[in-house]
Amino acid sequence: MENDNSTVVKEFILLGLTQSRDIQLLVFVLVLIFYLIILPGNFLIILTIRSDPGLTAPLYFFLGNLAFLDASYSFIVAPRMLVDFLSEKKVISYRGCITQLFFLHFLGGGEGLLLVVMAFDRYIAICRPLHYSTVMNPRACYALLLALWLGGFVHSIIQVALILHLPFCGPNQLDNFFCDVPQVIKLACTDTFVVELLMVFNSGLMTLLCFLGLLASYAVILCRVHGSSSEGKSKAVSTCTTHIIVIFLMFGPGIFIYTRPFRAFPADKVVSLFHTVIFPLLNPVIYTLRNQEVKASMRRLFNQHLA
C-alpha cells in the first residue's frame, strides 16, 4: 500500500445515497420496514425447508441455500446504511471497505452461480426426468454447493487482490452509500485503465455470460415443456417463470453496473440500492409465493405452533 512519498488513506468518507435530509429519512423508514418484514421471511423459508421431511428434493435444498445467501448478503450493506442515514459524517475504514467489498462479491458471485445450478437442476428434472434421481443425488448437490461457494470466493478474491495493489493517497470521498469496485478504484493515485478492464472482465463479462446462458437454458426448457402434454406442464412453466424473474432481478442491475466503463451515472445509486438491499431479500420470497408445496408447508408449520 505504500507509494513512495504518498500518504496511505486510512478511511473513506461515504457521501451517501442523497444529500437531502427529507429523502434520507423517507428511504430510511422504507428500507427499515422492508428489512424487518422480509428478512424474517427468508429465515422462515430456511426453517420450513429444514423442518419438513417432504421438502427434500434438490429444488428445495437449493432454495433454502438461496434464502441463506440472500439473508447473509443483506447484512453487508443495509445495517450500516441505516446507521449512516442517522449520522452526519459517514466514514468507513480502509479495512472495513475492503471487507465489505469482499463479502459483497463473495456472496453475490456465489448467488449468481447458485442460479446457474438451479437452472441445471430444472433442466435435468424437466428434460431428463428418468435420469434426475441419478444425476441430482445428494452427493452431487453438495458438490455443486461447494463449487459455487468456491467460485464466489475466487471471483471475490480477484477483485480484492487487484484493489490491494492500488495506492490510495487522497481524495478519499466515495460517492455512494457503500464500498464497491467502480468507486474505489477511481480514487487510486495511479492510472487504473488496465485494472478497470480486468474488473469489467471479472465482474461484467461473467455476469453477462451467466445471464445470457441462463435465459438460453430456460428458453430450451420452456420449448421442451410447451411441446409436451404432461400433467406437470403448468407447474414446470410456473417454476421456470419464477426463476426467470429472479434472474432479471439479480443480473439486470449487475450488468448495468459492471459491464460498462466505470463512469458515474445518475441512476447508479438507485440501481445499487435495489441491487444490494431490496432484491436480495425479495428473491426467495418470489420463489415461495409461486411454490405451492413451500406455502402449504409454511401453513402446517404455523398451525403446529398455534396448536
Side-chain angles (χ1 to χ4, degrees), residues 162 166 185 190-202 262:
L162 291 172
L166 295 176
I185 66 174
T190 185
D191 180 33
T192 59
F193 178 75
V194 175
V195 176
E196 289 185 37
L197 287 181
L198 292 173
M199 292 292 186
V200 168
F201 179 80
N202 185 38
F262 291 156

Coordinates of all heavy atoms in Angstrom, one line a residue, residues 162 166 185 190-202 262:
L162 N -6.7 -7.1 -6.8 CA -6.4 -6.0 -7.7 C -6.5 -4.7 -7.0 O -5.7 -3.8 -7.2 CB -7.4 -6.0 -8.9 CG -7.3 -7.2 -9.9 CD1 -8.5 -7.2 -10.8 CD2 -6.0 -7.1 -10.6
L166 N -3.4 -1.2 -5.4 CA -3.5 0.2 -5.8 C -3.1 1.1 -4.7 O -3.5 0.8 -3.6 CB -5.0 0.5 -6.3 CG -5.5 -0.3 -7.5 CD1 -7.0 0.1 -7.7 CD2 -4.7 0.1 -8.7
I185 N -11.8 2.1 -7.1 CA -10.6 2.2 -7.9 C -10.4 3.6 -8.6 O -9.3 3.9 -8.9 CB -10.6 1.1 -9.0 CG1 -11.8 1.4 -10.0 CG2 -10.7 -0.3 -8.4 CD1 -11.7 0.4 -11.2
T190 N -3.1 6.4 -9.3 CA -2.3 5.8 -10.4 C -3.3 5.6 -11.6 O -4.5 5.8 -11.4 CB -1.7 4.5 -10.0 OG1 -0.9 4.0 -11.1 CG2 -2.8 3.5 -9.7
D191 N -2.8 5.3 -12.8 CA -3.7 5.0 -13.9 C -4.3 3.7 -13.7 O -3.7 2.7 -13.4 CB -2.8 5.0 -15.2 CG -3.6 4.7 -16.4 OD1 -4.8 5.1 -16.4 OD2 -3.1 4.0 -17.3
T192 N -5.7 3.7 -13.8 CA -6.4 2.4 -13.4 C -7.0 1.8 -14.7 O -7.9 1.0 -14.5 CB -7.5 2.7 -12.4 OG1 -8.4 3.7 -12.9 CG2 -6.9 3.2 -11.1
F193 N -6.6 2.2 -15.9 CA -7.2 1.7 -17.1 C -7.2 0.2 -17.2 O -8.2 -0.5 -17.4 CB -6.6 2.3 -18.3 CG -7.1 1.8 -19.6 CD1 -8.4 2.3 -20.1 CD2 -6.4 0.9 -20.4 CE1 -8.9 1.8 -21.3 CE2 -6.9 0.4 -21.6 CZ -8.2 0.8 -22.0
V194 N -6.0 -0.4 -16.9 CA -5.9 -1.9 -17.0 C -6.7 -2.6 -15.9 O -7.4 -3.6 -16.2 CB -4.4 -2.3 -16.9 CG1 -4.3 -3.8 -16.9 CG2 -3.6 -1.7 -18.1
V195 N -6.7 -2.0 -14.7 CA -7.4 -2.6 -13.6 C -8.9 -2.5 -13.9 O -9.6 -3.5 -13.6 CB -7.1 -1.8 -12.3 CG1 -8.0 -2.4 -11.2 CG2 -5.7 -1.9 -11.9
E196 N -9.4 -1.4 -14.5 CA -10.8 -1.3 -14.9 C -11.2 -2.4 -15.9 O -12.2 -3.0 -15.8 CB -11.1 0.1 -15.4 CG -11.1 1.2 -14.3 CD -11.5 2.5 -14.9 OE1 -12.4 2.5 -15.7 OE2 -10.9 3.5 -14.5
L197 N -10.3 -2.6 -16.9 CA -10.6 -3.7 -17.8 C -10.7 -5.0 -17.2 O -11.5 -5.9 -17.5 CB -9.5 -3.7 -18.9 CG -9.6 -2.5 -19.9 CD1 -8.4 -2.7 -21.0 CD2 -10.9 -2.4 -20.6
L198 N -9.8 -5.3 -16.3 CA -9.8 -6.6 -15.6 C -11.0 -6.7 -14.7 O -11.6 -7.8 -14.6 CB -8.5 -6.7 -14.7 CG -7.2 -6.8 -15.4 CD1 -6.0 -6.8 -14.4 CD2 -7.2 -8.1 -16.2
M199 N -11.5 -5.6 -14.1 CA -12.7 -5.7 -13.3 C -13.9 -5.9 -14.2 O -14.8 -6.7 -13.8 CB -12.8 -4.3 -12.5 CG -11.8 -4.1 -11.5 SD -12.0 -5.2 -10.1 CE -10.8 -4.6 -8.9
V200 N -14.0 -5.3 -15.3 CA -15.1 -5.5 -16.2 C -15.1 -6.9 -16.7 O -16.2 -7.5 -16.8 CB -15.0 -4.5 -17.4 CG1 -16.0 -4.9 -18.5 CG2 -15.3 -3.1 -17.0
F201 N -13.9 -7.5 -17.0 CA -13.9 -8.9 -17.4 C -14.3 -9.8 -16.3 O -15.1 -10.8 -16.5 CB -12.4 -9.2 -17.9 CG -12.3 -10.6 -18.3 CD1 -12.7 -11.0 -19.6 CD2 -11.7 -11.6 -17.5 CE1 -12.5 -12.3 -20.0 CE2 -11.6 -12.9 -17.9 CZ -12.0 -13.3 -19.1
N202 N -13.8 -9.6 -15.1 CA -14.1 -10.4 -14.0 C -15.6 -10.4 -13.5 O -16.2 -11.4 -13.2 CB -13.2 -10.1 -12.8 CG -13.4 -11.1 -11.6 OD1 -13.6 -12.3 -11.8 ND2 -13.3 -10.6 -10.4
F262 N -16.2 2.5 -16.0 CA -16.5 2.9 -14.7 C -16.7 4.5 -14.6 O -15.9 5.2 -14.2 CB -15.5 2.5 -13.6 CG -15.5 1.0 -13.4 CD1 -14.4 0.4 -13.0 CD2 -16.6 0.3 -13.7 CE1 -14.4 -1.0 -12.7 CE2 -16.6 -1.1 -13.5 CZ -15.5 -1.7 -13.0

